[in-house]
Amino acid sequence: MRFFVLLMFIVGATAISGNVYADARVDCSYDGGVVGPGGWPGNGGITYQTCAESESMDGDTYSTGCHVINAATVQPQVASGMCTRSTTVWAYGLGFQDCETCVDGATKTSKTDTITFVNSGGMRRGTCNIGYNVCTCTKTATCTDGPWTTIRAGYQSRIKSTAVCNTCKTSTEYRCAPGYYGSTSNGSTGCTQCPSVDGVAGTSAGGNGTTITSCYVSTGTTFSNSSGSGRYDGNSYYCG
């Protein structure tokens, strides 16, 4: 008889002191009885490099989808650069990601999760204790963004500096220049020049408005049309 094992829940995701697990590891225990070829013995912390290897550990069939179940915890650290090197190991068709190296100003902290498996009939099959590392900031850098500079008509850019523990990670940020409205993610498209009224060019604060209503004629600006001439005594904004 083959059993289809489903992941039921994850509990106990708590930090524990000390470097208990040097790398991600999975230690599983079977609740008892021999079901299927070889049953489901504890794997003693053995982990595999691919999902295919882990699914062939014994005679049961695992319908877990080969997904990394702690990705929500580790992936944001990888994306931000806090975790500078990570690996994924597999056991029983499940992947577990581990932070091997952390950015300057962060230390590795061990965490444990516990998962419970049941078979297709709803009977509990056993549990696995998962150990892996995450990064915890111990120092935080003070970072400063660069000034906005015009790169072409209507567009500006700057170097944005974001603190990741004790390291400043830089990226390029774009915006519409003063006198334009809209939004841009590449510094070349998405910005439109504010319109003119009676020959007076409209302006904007730059980067603060995505619609024409962010454009205005500045206070103190003089104008002249067929009805006469005058001066704006306050910022006059465009209506959408």
Side-chain angles (χ1 to χ4, degrees), residues 100-215:
E100 291 187 4
T101 308
C102 302
V103 73
D104 179 44
T107 58
K108 289 198 297 185
T109 302
S110 297
K111 299 191 73 172
T112 57
D113 292 346
T114 300
I115 60 174
T116 299
F117 291 93
V118 299
N119 62 23
S120 58
M123 292 182 59
R124 183 171 126 156
R125 291 277 279 124
T127 59
C128 294
N129 293 320
I130 308 138
Y132 59 97
N133 291 305
V134 295
C135 300
T136 304
C137 284
T138 55
K139 298 179 181 179
T140 302
T142 300
C143 306
T144 303
D145 295 332
W148 288 104
T149 58
T150 299
I151 55 176
R152 58 180 56 87
Y155 297 88
Q156 292 184 326
S157 70
R158 72 172 177 180
I159 300 300
K160 184 173 181 60
S161 187
T162 303
V164 180
C165 297
N166 202 38
T167 300
C168 293
K169 298 286 186 177
T170 59
S171 60
T172 303
E173 188 176 25
Y174 301 98
R175 74 172 188 178
C176 296
Y180 290 75
Y181 67 94
S183 62
T184 180
S185 60
N186 56 16
S188 59
T189 60
C191 299
T192 303
Q193 189 172 14
C194 291
S196 298
V197 177
D198 295 329
V200 177
T203 190
S204 66
N208 294 326
T210 59
T211 66
I212 195 172
T213 55
S214 62
C215 296

Side-chain angles (χ1 to χ4, degrees), residues 31-44:
D31 281 353
V34 177
V35 180
W40 190 35
N43 69 336

Side-chain angles (χ1 to χ4, degrees), residues 44-58:
I46 297 173
T47 51
Y48 294 81
Q49 291 183 335
T50 69
C51 184
E53 290 174 319
S54 73
E55 286 190 315
S56 62
M57 288 176 69
D58 64 19

